[in-house]
Amino acid sequence: MCGHSSGMMGFPLRLLAREVYDRVRAIKGDDAAALITGEQRIEPPNARYFCCTMEAMDRLGGGHAFVAIDEAQIGADPERGHIFTDRLLNARGREETMILGSATLQPIVKALIPGAEMVERPRFSTLTHAGTAKLSRLPPRSAVVAFSVEQVYAMAEALRRFRGGAAVVMGALSPETRNKQVELFQNGEVDYIVATDAIGMGLNLDLNHVAFAALTKFDGQRKRRLIPAEMAQIAGRAGRHQRDGSFGTLTGGGSRSGAPLEFTEEEIFAIEEHKFAPLTKLYWREAEPRFDTVPVLIGDLESRPRHDVLRGAPQAIDLAVLKRLAEEPLAKSVRGSGLVRRFWEACSLPDFRQVGVDPHARFVARLWQDLCEGYLGADFVAARIAELDRTGGDIDTLQGRIAAIRSWAYICQRPDWVLARDEMAARARAVEAKLSDALHARLTERFVNRRTTILMKSLGQDASALPVTLEADDRLTVEEEPIGKLDGFRFVVDPDAGVADRKMLLAAGEKALPGILAQRADWLLADGMSELAIERGSITWQGRRLADIAMPDDFSTPRLSLTRDIALLAEPARSRLESGLTDWLDKKLEPLLPLRKLAEAARNPEAGSQARALLITLIDARGVISREKAGLEHLPKEMRPFLRKLGVNFGALDIFAGALLKPAPRQLLNALGLDKRPLQDAMLPVIAEAKPLPAGYRPAGSQAIRVDLAEKILRAAFDARAKASGKAAKERNVRFRINLALPISIGLQEENARRLLGSAGFKVQRVRTLADGAHGPAVPDSWTWRPRRPGERIAKSRNEERRDRNGGRKDAKNEGRKRSAKQGSKPGDAPRKKPQVDTGPARASGAFDGLADLLGR
């Protein structure tokens, strides 16, 4: 065509016309090429080369130098055949006319056009029958052909599970959606395509194999077996130009009777050798009927052809709609050739929605109500287009909207149907493009698992070639598709993956993990050590365990047991990581050096058995133990200086290592799981009473105090007693005063300070309050002290337990007395005794047994 001064070509499909139009534009320029279809018209003023659908093509060829008719054998199609037959008979170029089609058309062309020159173009590649195959065993670059929407969807879903997905091509798709699905296959994003027999025409694909899921189809009237020529039209998509192809069937697609799905020997021979029975007839219908009246129009359209090889076309949908509306009252007003012609043009509106004669006739009737009076209003058309401008819904919903918008695109292309025609046509095309994009996205979302497709191609390669990338957020991706994430050093499969995909994702992850984990280990050793932590006796990173810590009894270098998370690390990387973790742990355990020194001293034979026993007890108690449990009665006094050099403090109530009462060692002991008691992170001086008490604290009434500060308070009390005893050396039970400013400054409440002192054997002696009318400063309370005896400790504990049991009853009595006081005292009432404040020990412990030896310190 481009070798002539002008030309026109007719194509069976809009997408074919568009494909050739784009090629002509590239050769001749945009101004020289035109595209004319039922729904779109691009016609520059100086256009010389026209690419048209067969229905939109000028039936005489438009007077161009060159005219071509593509796929002319469609003249044998019952629905559209008469249009192809008319162009074959009438469309002629001034210089050259080409009729392109199957060799089966050759006898009819010779009969209708005796002087036609026959030129054959043999197929360069061979087509071979490959037998039957399972869907899961189909080779890459295969097409599966089915003949119902349900079967197409089922095949595509199965291929998504087995092979990562498939492109979908059906006649119901818009040309734009069909092209995008084909592009999905051509670009290699998927290796499979599932299609109806629409694949057999207008699609040039890089296919190696075509598998038939069925060999029968419903042709609009009955279900029949495909004829060999139809089978070859579809199978011929495999192998193009000089690349050989194959065809076959799928297992499991047989008939209800149980017969397997197979080609016959005759069909295989015909397809492989390209030998088919010639066509014996083409369908014809009067292309220039008379428009005198509607009955005359119908009569001409139903007239019979005069040539032997032509047959009258079956009743197409346009004629069926015309006859249906001719029976309606609206047909009575259709008079005159102009109005009858316009009425026929309205009835010729294609049934894009595939709804059948009656629903389509009702649509045309509504359309005719406006067309018979002139034009469709722009507001009305715009409203109908806007109703369809919605991209929500499933695949079937979007297909329905696209079919509907194609009807309005066709209506807007008619030259005398719509006001503001160009604007409305542009709107309709824009909505169709938007809906086509949405439908393509739905099809891809439902039938394509891009991740699985990539992995299916990659898993057969060398592990080092697998393109797995570790993202900044710890996701593992293959060509930007997530397959999982690294949780510490553990690979976790993407939770969105289905059951069928999990095994494949695990295999992909395990292939790439050794290299990625080695990189992660090196990064951790170089830059990430600050993120490590010790939790529940293990070294953790990002909440995941890396190694379990086993502390020896002597608190020397711990032993690390690497977890299974690091099992995939290569040996050099694993050794480096283990060494780095050991060095990091040694630095972290420095706050426990005092405990290590105690353990070393406990193994020293020179320490003596009594001192070693105390050290072992103190180590087991993690640095703090009460005097009553320490066994001090067995420790010689001359061993105490040796223990004090190790940091052991002999307090009034507790034996403790002061260095282990700091936050760092307490937190470390808790994190290692060596001290199960509650932890006070900051090791505050005073805290509220808690059960159980945190490690390193002693109860003091409603509060608890750190044991080293409790010792500081008690030491000050003993110093006050010592001073008083020096001034009154002959008195046996000397009284002295204790300044409570120190415990109060530390944070103890006054009453709780008294209870702490009571735990050490101090007893407060309350002074009498001033009598009414007396003046002067209050006399401070005085204190006495004496150590408890073992028998007294037991009795005291029982008395205190009894007092605790009766505390509720005393509180109730006290409440009754308060209420009586508010109501006023009656004459003759006996004077009430002032309730005595409880300043006894903070807990019944008798912990001061054997305390007298401290006085000589």
Side-chain angles (χ1 to χ4, degrees):
M1 181 173 71
C2 291
H4 293 267
S5 59
S6 64
M8 175 175 283
M9 295 184 70
F11 299 93
L13 298 172
R14 184 172 71 162
L15 63 88
L16 265 179
R18 179 77 198 206
E19 180 183 342
V20 176
Y21 164 73
D22 290 336
R23 295 174 65 182
V24 174
R25 283 173 56 206
I27 298 172
K28 294 295 184 179
D30 293 347
D31 293 337
L35 173 67
I36 301 176
T37 70
E39 301 124 271
Q40 190 175 12
R41 192 179 190 93
I42 303 174
E43 187 176 0
N46 299 321
R48 293 180 292 121
Y49 302 96
F50 291 78
C51 300
C52 317
T53 54
M54 205 64 69
E55 287 82 353
M57 180 184 182
D58 188 290
R59 64 183 300 268
L60 300 179
H64 296 286
F66 174 86
V67 169
I69 301 164
D70 190 25
E71 303 287 359
Q73 76 277 2
I74 297 179
D77 179 70
E79 183 69 26
R80 301 174 64 202
H82 62 89
I83 299 171
F84 286 77
T85 302
D86 178 69
R87 305 302 185 263
L88 184 150
L89 293 173
N90 299 295
R92 297 290 182 269
R94 298 194 314 269
E95 300 170 3
E96 184 178 7
T97 301
M98 271 191 181
I99 299 172
L100 309 173
S102 169
T104 58
L105 187 64
Q106 188 172 350
I108 293 182
V109 172
K110 286 181 178 180
L112 295 176
I113 311 171
E117 178 187 357
M118 302 297 170
V119 180
E120 291 188 6
R121 296 285 190 233
R123 181 184 175 106
F124 294 145
S125 60
T126 61
L127 197 58
T128 307
H129 180 242
T132 61
K134 291 183 178 180
L135 187 66
S136 58
R137 298 294 180 88
L138 285 180
R141 314 308 294 173
S142 292
V144 177
V145 180
F147 296 98
S148 69
V149 173
E150 294 78 9
Q151 197 173 24
V152 167
Y153 288 172
M155 295 292 131
E157 288 278 11
L159 283 172
R160 184 183 189 276
R161 293 194 303 271
F162 297 141
R163 296 294 186 216
V168 174
V169 172
M170 298 183 292
L173 301 182
S174 67
E176 288 80 5
T177 306
R178 203 179 320 175
N179 286 344
K180 289 179 179 179
Q181 287 289 301
V182 168
E183 185 179 358
L184 197 67
F185 176 81
Q186 292 292 86
N187 291 343
E189 293 187 46
V190 294
D191 276 336
Y192 301 88
I193 187 167
V194 182
T196 59
D197 52 352
I199 196 177
M201 187 179 300
L203 294 177
N204 294 319
L205 303 169
D206 296 329
L207 282 173
N208 296 330
H209 181 75
V210 173
F212 287 78
L215 293 175
T216 57
K217 63 177 285 188
F218 182 74
D219 62 3
Q221 295 181 343
R222 62 187 178 88
K223 190 171 184 178
R224 62 173 177 82
R225 189 177 179 89
L226 300 176
I227 62 175
E230 292 172 326
M231 295 176 180
Q233 181 80 12
I234 297 170
R237 298 297 100 186
R240 304 293 290 176
H241 196 52
Q242 295 182 349
R243 190 180 73 250
D244 295 338
S246 60
F247 67 97
T249 56
L250 289 178
T251 57
S255 63
R256 293 181 181 179
S257 61
L261 182 67
E262 292 178 345
F263 290 98
T264 64
E265 293 295 332
E266 293 78 8
E267 291 168 342
I268 295 173
F269 175 80
I271 296 171
E272 290 182 340
E273 301 298 328
H274 311 292
K275 296 185 181 298
F276 309 104
L279 295 176
T280 58
K281 64 180 184 302
L282 296 180
Y283 288 110
W284 175 89
R285 191 174 75 180
E286 179 60 57
E288 291 185 333
R290 293 169 295 169
F291 298 102
D292 299 341
T293 62
V294 172
V296 170
L297 172 62
I298 294 173
D300 286 355
L301 292 173
E302 291 183 333
S303 61
R304 314 314 298 171
R306 290 182 290 275
H307 200 288
D308 293 339
V309 298
L310 301 179
R311 296 288 184 272
Q315 180 174 279
I317 188 143
D318 52 358
L319 180 56
V321 170
L322 175 64
K323 295 173 69 174
R324 175 73 176 77
L325 295 182
E327 301 172 357
E328 298 292 329
L330 61 86
K332 296 179 181 179
S333 61
V334 181
R335 297 176 181 176
S337 59
L339 206 56
V340 173
R341 181 188 294 272
R342 191 173 179 83
F343 187 56
W344 169 237
E345 290 173 349
C347 293
S348 298
L349 172 68
D351 182 18
F352 292 108
R353 299 175 299 165
Q354 299 292 314
V355 292
V357 175
D358 286 344
H360 189 56
R362 288 195 294 271
F363 179 70
V364 171
R366 172 61 188 86
L367 201 64
W368 178 249
Q369 292 178 8
D370 292 328
L371 289 179
C372 67
E373 298 177 359
Y375 294 88
L376 293 171
D379 292 342
F380 173 78
V381 175
R384 303 291 78 75
I385 293 174
E387 289 174 355
L388 299 171
D389 189 8
R390 292 179 291 118
T391 57
D394 57 13
I395 292 174
D396 293 335
T397 302
L398 289 173
Q399 283 184 251
R401 290 193 193 126
I402 289 175
I405 199 64
R406 290 185 69 187
S407 298
W408 286 104
Y410 181 94
I411 291 168
C412 293
Q413 286 299 325
R414 301 297 300 176
D416 56 350
W417 282 17
V418 180
L419 293 174
R421 166 194 163 191
D422 293 339
E423 179 185 351
M424 294 301 106
R427 287 191 187 185
R429 287 196 302 272
V431 171
E432 182 181 357
K434 185 188 297 186
L435 292 173
S436 296
D437 290 341
L439 179 57
H440 172 67
R442 295 291 191 285
L443 289 169
T444 304
E445 178 183 349
R446 178 172 174 182
F447 298 122
V448 176
N449 186 332
R450 186 170 179 269
R451 174 173 61 194
T452 305
T453 303
I454 294 170
L455 293 178
M456 289 297 298
K457 295 177 181 178
S458 304
L459 284 179
Q461 304 174 1
D462 179 55
S464 60
L466 191 66
V468 178
T469 305
L470 178 61
E471 305 293 343
D473 58 355
D474 292 338
R475 289 183 305 121
L476 287 179
T477 61
V478 177
E479 295 184 12
E480 300 183 357
E481 289 295 322
I483 64 172
K485 66 175 296 185
L486 279 184
D487 188 1
F489 279 80
R490 173 177 293 182
F491 173 64
V492 180
V493 175
D494 184 7
D496 295 333
V499 176
D501 294 339
R502 293 184 67 85
K503 187 175 181 181
M504 185 186 307
L505 296 182
L506 280 171
E510 289 175 357
K511 274 194 171 186
L513 271 184
I516 291 177
L517 291 184
Q519 296 175 9
R520 166 156 282 201
D522 291 340
W523 175 89
L524 182 62
L525 293 173
D527 303 312
M529 300 300 281
S530 60
E531 300 179 10
L532 296 179
I534 299 176
E535 297 175 349
R536 297 182 297 278
S538 302
I539 298 177
T540 63
W541 179 50
Q542 297 179 348
R544 300 295 304 180
R545 291 167 47 246
L546 298 184
D548 296 325
I549 304 170
M551 290 295 298
D553 294 337
D554 59 358
F555 290 88
S556 58
T557 303
R559 189 181 76 255
L560 291 182
S561 299
L562 299 180
T563 59
R564 294 175 60 187
D565 292 0
I566 314 177
L568 290 176
L569 268 176
E571 181 52 39
R574 188 179 349 182
S575 298
R576 290 196 304 269
L577 180 61
E578 186 173 7
S579 177
L581 293 177
T582 301
D583 294 341
W584 175 86
L585 184 60
D586 287 341
K587 294 180 181 179
K588 275 291 182 180
L589 295 181
E590 287 179 357
L592 297 185
L593 280 176
L595 207 55
R596 186 180 300 177
K597 290 181 180 179
L598 295 180
E600 292 174 356
R603 296 196 309 274
N604 187 355
E606 298 179 2
S609 59
Q610 297 90 345
R612 290 166 60 190
L614 176 61
L615 288 173
I616 292 172
T617 303
L618 191 59
I619 292 170
D620 291 342
R622 305 311 180 211
V624 182
I625 189 170
S626 63
R627 289 182 67 98
E628 62 199 40
K629 297 179 181 179
L632 282 181
E633 63 273 13
H634 305 297
L635 180 70
K637 289 187 178 181
E638 57 270 16
M639 293 303 301
R640 294 192 180 189
F642 169 74
L643 295 175
R644 289 193 183 99
K645 289 180 181 180
L646 295 174
V648 178
N649 292 278
F650 293 87
L653 299 176
D654 300 285
I655 311 299
F656 58 91
L660 295 176
L661 294 178
K662 296 178 180 179
R666 297 316 321 173
Q667 293 172 8
L668 199 52
L669 287 170
N670 184 270
L672 289 169
L674 299 177
D675 193 342
K676 303 296 185 181
R677 291 171 290 182
L679 172 67
Q680 217 297 316
D681 285 335
M683 292 301 289
L684 297 175
V686 176
I687 61 174
E689 183 183 23
K691 292 183 179 180
L693 273 178
Y697 284 84
R698 165 163 288 280
S702 61
Q703 294 176 293
I705 185 170
R706 210 170 62 211
V707 294
D708 57 336
L709 295 175
E711 172 58 22
K712 185 176 181 180
I713 294 170
L714 295 176
R715 175 46 48 198
F718 279 112
D719 290 343
R721 178 182 178 276
K723 289 180 181 179
S725 298
K727 295 178 181 179
K730 294 183 179 181
E731 293 186 23
R732 184 176 179 183
N733 196 9
V734 64
R735 293 193 178 194
F736 53 91
R737 294 188 177 92
I738 298 178
N739 189 350
L740 297 182
L742 176 61
I744 291 174
S745 67
I746 291 175
L748 277 180
Q749 298 173 7
E750 184 174 345
E751 189 58 38
N752 292 331
R754 292 191 182 98
R755 291 179 69 84
L756 175 66
L757 291 167
S759 298
F762 293 92
K763 185 174 182 181
V764 65
Q765 304 295 328
R766 293 284 190 177
V767 298
R768 295 181 180 179
T769 57
L770 292 175
D772 294 340
H775 300 281
V779 179
D781 295 336
S782 61
W783 292 78
T784 60
W785 175 85
R786 68 178 177 84
R788 295 194 184 97
R789 300 176 180 82
E792 183 184 2
R793 174 169 62 93
I794 298 172
K796 186 67 175 180
S797 299
R798 291 174 179 171
N799 290 336
E800 288 187 356
E801 288 175 3
R802 192 178 301 112
R803 184 178 61 207
D804 290 339
R805 287 196 300 269
N806 297 333
R809 275 175 266 167
K810 289 183 179 181
D811 291 340
K813 291 180 180 180
N814 289 336
E815 280 297 318
R817 293 193 188 102
K818 289 180 182 179
R819 286 195 296 269
S820 300
K822 290 180 181 179
Q823 296 170 359
S825 301
K826 296 182 180 180
D829 284 346
R832 300 185 183 90
K833 293 183 180 180
K834 184 178 179 180
Q836 188 174 0
V837 178
D838 179 14
T839 57
R843 290 291 184 273
S845 63
F848 212 76
D849 299 327
L851 190 63
D853 58 342
L854 283 173
L855 300 179
R857 280 195 306 177

